[in-house]
């Protein structure tokens, strides 16, 4: 199996882009990544997207985007794993290059969410959960996360205000990311006063929807000139859990995140303490705590403490969401997993002042589809 | 890169299964394939599906189906390339095993189409075409194929009746396939008298929608006991074309089919005349002609002649649709590409009497997404 390197990245601003189509946004990210990689073509295109069939009346995105960006003829397909689609598409591109089937792959995550009214988007997002046994009972995707958060607070004794540092950190970091959806500093008081969505999740616990696209360009590491710095995918691992939260013996532990992270650590020969920067999937503040715990950065029930101790900022012990995370960079769902890896590359290249993690050489990204149902973890390493 | 073998197959009857859910149908095919492979688990699940988000309000099929069939925890994702989703998912599973990332993969194609009224299914199928520049103009997916067929008839001088042998062959073969959607012998007179859908495509030119699932189990060939017969994936190749038909310089030639088939022949070291059985994508009779021509079995404009000459039956020179094809076995869109490969395996195992192709050792399957936009070709070889 060949080792795979990232040689190009691209991303769009995340916004309500009512004047641009899905293909235009995906195209912008693809062309940026091609330009950044100094390449004009590629052997295959892998698209991460969740909801284009529902929201944009458009499937077959592989062929659509390939043609639009001047790659007519190349292999192309879409990969879907709910909000984990971006990470899953990256994994497909990685396997295509690692296997030797292709000598280069372009992975683009794209989601165009704001073209339809909010209640339709809420319904579309609920397709990440179990349609027959969760959604048909009337629970929305936020509702599921709210039940998890409430149980976590009850079980471990945390107050809602204790989750504020997660949102504050993401918003503070996004201020310095020109691609972020929200450029708005928030305080603990703002956090507690914001509008309730599904108790105990309020507006500032939740990531915003948005339109956006991000892309990475992959090649075999062996094709790069030796002696120059290389950004290698040191680990890639995916795992699943039950899609319905009520079927889990331990609903407060992200079993798939644990499996996927453990496997990634094993592949890379690393431990949690070796990770310099961790782009986690903060769709809701509760997910920050659960992800930190499942990946070995905090004991069970103690993820919140890590944030309260000030350890999650760019200069902390476990820097997370350094470009704003899902909370403030934004969460165009199928694109998010690719944004995370693009941001790791920016960190490892040292392009993130003033939220640069000093001397970062190893970054981890974890992308979650559903309420912990599909989880993909990647470790990127600068050599 | 490791060579990959198929050691198990499974499939459901294709029908209007109003009493069974998507996960139940996918589960049946998966469990059959596991049983056929004499395996109890697998390293990864790859799901081919096009429309579950729209029709079944369900995404995240990877985690959903993995859990349902007792594979909770394994890697899983869905691959979508419109009606080519099954072939694309197979290619993902293949690359996962070929790369060494996984030591086994289960690929399941599934589509549950009949739970919604026909006009909604027609709209969902149209998401395979260009939403902005074809569908918004009012053209349906049948409409696009009708324009191609009309132009083909004009350009090469064929009458509508000349396409009858394609439909007659598929229906005759499906009579002997217990999994087929339609068990109904048809005549040339039936063909000409059937109801018009979109001139010149009538009901018997078009494949029926249906609910169904099919699965294959993949392992590295090196893991099999030497000396016993093996079914190897000798070639796998995907290519794309413009998604909108009006953007093609030659709308009567399936460029992506040509590219994908040529690449497959090169990989396997074969020529068209070496193929014993060809499961092609006869969504409409016109697609039979175009596919035969693009893959080198007939000259341009002469695909129809091959059928008129009686060469496409199980005992003919180029046996196609030996289990009924999309036309009569049925076309549960995201499952079709996997059904094709399951049927090749049945042919190579010699299980298809009385439509068995005598002495078949090499089979080719070609799966098409959109009106020729995404095309995946596989060659399976018995050794």
């Amino acid at each position: 199996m060949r080792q795979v390197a990232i040689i190009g990245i691209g991303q769009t601003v995340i916004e309500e882009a009512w004047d641009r189509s899905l293909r235009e946004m995906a195209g912008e990210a693809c062309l940026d990544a091609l330009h950044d990689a100094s390449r004009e073509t590629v052997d295959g295109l892998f698209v991460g997207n969740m909801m284009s069939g529902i929201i944009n009346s458009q499937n077959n995105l592989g062929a659509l985007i390939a043609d639009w960006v001047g790659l007519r003829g190349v292999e192309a397909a879409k990969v879907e794993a709910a909000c984990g689609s971006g990470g899953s598409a990256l994994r497909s591109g990685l396997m295509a290059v690692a296997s030797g089937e292709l000598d280069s792959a372009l992975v683009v995550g794209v989601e165009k969410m704001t073209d339809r009214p909010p209640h339709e988007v809420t319904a579309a997002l609920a397709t990440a959960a179990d349609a027959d046994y969760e959604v048909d009972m009337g629970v929305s995707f936020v509702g599921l996360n709210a039940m998890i958060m409430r149980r976590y607070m009850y079980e471990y004794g945390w107050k809602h205000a204790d989750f504020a540092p997660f949102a504050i950190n993401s918003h503070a970091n996004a201020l310095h990311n020109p691609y972020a959806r929200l450029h708005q500093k928030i305080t603990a008081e703002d956090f507690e006063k914001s509008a309730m969505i599904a108790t105990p999740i309020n507006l500032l616990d939740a990531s915003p929807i948005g339109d956006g696209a991000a892309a990475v360009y992959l090649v075999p590491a062996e094709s790069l000139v030796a002696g120059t710095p290389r950004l290698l995918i040191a680990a890639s691992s995916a795992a699943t859990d039950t899609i319905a939260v009520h079927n889990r013996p331990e609903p407060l532990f992200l079993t798939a995140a644990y499996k996927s992270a453990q496997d990634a650590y094993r592949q890379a020969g690393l431990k949690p303490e070796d990770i310099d920067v961790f782009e986690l999937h903060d769709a809701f503040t509760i997910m920050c705590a659960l992800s930190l715990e499942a990946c070995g950065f905090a004991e069970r029930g103690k993820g919140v403490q890590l944030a309260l101790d000030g350890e999650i900022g760019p200069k902390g012990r476990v820097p997370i969401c350094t470009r704003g995370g899902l909370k403030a960079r934004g969460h165009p769902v199928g694109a998010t997993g690719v944004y995370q890896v693009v941001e790791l590359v920016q960190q490892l290249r040292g392009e993130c002042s003033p939220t640069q993690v000093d001397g970062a050489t190893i970054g981890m990204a974890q992308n979650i589809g559903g309420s912990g149902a599909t989880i993909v973890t990647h470790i990127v390493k600068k050599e």
Side-chain angles (χ1 to χ4, degrees), chain A:
Chain A
M1 205 170 85
R2 306 194 290 189
Q3 194 152 36
V4 174
I6 301 173
I7 62 163
I9 56 173
Q11 60 186 317
T12 71
V13 170
I14 299 176
E15 58 187 344
E16 297 191 27
W18 295 355
D19 58 343
R20 292 197 296 159
S21 68
L22 183 146
R23 79 185 82 188
E24 287 174 302
M25 299 199 80
E28 182 183 326
C30 286
L31 293 176
D32 278 2
L34 282 161
H35 182 257
D36 189 43
S38 300
R39 299 283 183 119
E40 289 187 350
T41 187
V42 74
D43 286 353
L45 176 71
F46 298 84
V47 181
N49 172 273
M50 175 183 173
M51 311 191 301
S52 71
I54 306 173
I55 299 284
N56 316 106
S57 301
Q58 181 71 69
N59 278 307
N60 219 353
L61 293 190
L64 180 88
I65 297 169
D67 183 35
W68 179 254
V69 298
L71 297 171
R72 185 181 299 178
V74 303
E75 164 163 24
K78 161 176 154 175
V79 183
E80 188 272 321
C83 311
S85 300
S88 288
L90 176 56
R91 200 160 149 66
S92 283
L94 172 80
M95 291 193 283
V97 175
S99 66
E101 274 284 305
L102 306 183
D103 284 325
S104 59
L106 184 58
V107 179
V108 61
V110 60
E111 203 80 54
K112 190 80 172 55
M113 305 173 76
T114 72
D115 292 357
R116 311 290 307 170
H119 70 279
E120 290 189 25
V121 179
T122 299
L125 285 167
T127 63
D130 190 315
D132 295 339
Y133 299 105
E134 290 183 324
V135 185
D136 265 12
M137 304 302 135
V139 68
S140 69
F141 199 67
V142 187
L144 284 167
N145 281 274
M147 286 189 275
I148 295 172
M149 187 170 179
R150 183 186 283 273
R151 182 75 200 176
Y152 183 92
M153 290 163 64
Y154 171 81
E155 203 73 55
Y156 298 116
W158 298 108
K159 301 186 303 294
H160 180 261
D162 297 329
F163 291 81
F166 290 122
I168 292 170
N169 173 63
S170 288
H171 275 267
N173 294 340
L175 282 177
H176 309 288
N177 177 3
Y179 300 99
R181 173 99 167 85
L182 302 174
H183 292 113
Q184 168 196 6
K185 189 172 174 164
I186 63 164
T187 65
E189 194 182 354
D190 297 332
F191 182 77
E192 276 306 277
K193 281 188 176 167
S194 78
M196 189 55 67
I197 301 175
T199 324
I201 290 180
N202 72 22
L203 193 65
L204 289 178
D205 284 294
S207 55
I209 69 167
D211 307 328
V216 297
Y217 194 105
L218 308 178
V219 296
E222 67 199 26
S223 71
L224 300 178
V225 180
T228 55
R230 306 186 300 177
L231 295 179
L232 304 178
I233 299 183
S236 171
S237 182
T240 54
D241 199 346
T242 69
I243 188 163
V245 177
H246 60 248
N247 283 335
R248 297 184 195 157
E250 297 184 85
L252 297 184
F253 188 69
L254 295 175
T255 306
Y258 172 78
K259 280 186 189 161
S260 154
Q262 286 297 317
D263 188 38
Y265 293 143
R266 184 192 56 72
Q267 288 177 30
L270 298 171
K271 293 179 187 146
E273 51 267 36
D274 299 320
I275 305 298
D276 298 318
V277 51
F278 180 27
E279 291 301 333
L280 57 70
H281 193 95
D282 58 326
F284 303 99
T285 51
I286 178 64
M287 280 292 140
C288 295
L290 297 186
S291 190
L292 286 167
E293 294 168 21
C295 296
F297 295 102
E299 288 175 28
R300 292 196 195 189
K302 301 284 190 195
V304 173
Q305 191 63 54
L306 202 67
L308 288 169
D309 291 347
E311 297 288 13
I312 61 168
K315 310 301 173 195
R317 189 160 60 80
V318 187
I320 63 171
C321 307
T322 63
R323 304 290 280 163
L326 283 62
K327 176 67 201 80
R329 172 243 291 135
H331 182 27
V333 292
T336 289
V338 186
Y339 270 101
Q340 292 176 317
V341 174
V342 163
E343 291 162 357
L344 286 187
V345 169
Q346 292 184 309
Q347 281 286 356
L348 302 186
R349 284 179 178 175
E351 298 172 347
C352 298
S353 173
T355 64
Q356 177 66 41
V357 175
D358 299 329
T361 58
I362 299 172
M364 184 160 91
Q366 186 168 74
N367 191 202
I368 303 185
S371 307
T374 308
I375 300 194
V376 189
T377 307
H378 283 97
I379 297 177
V380 184
K381 192 173 178 181
K382 184 165 75 175
E383 275 190 5

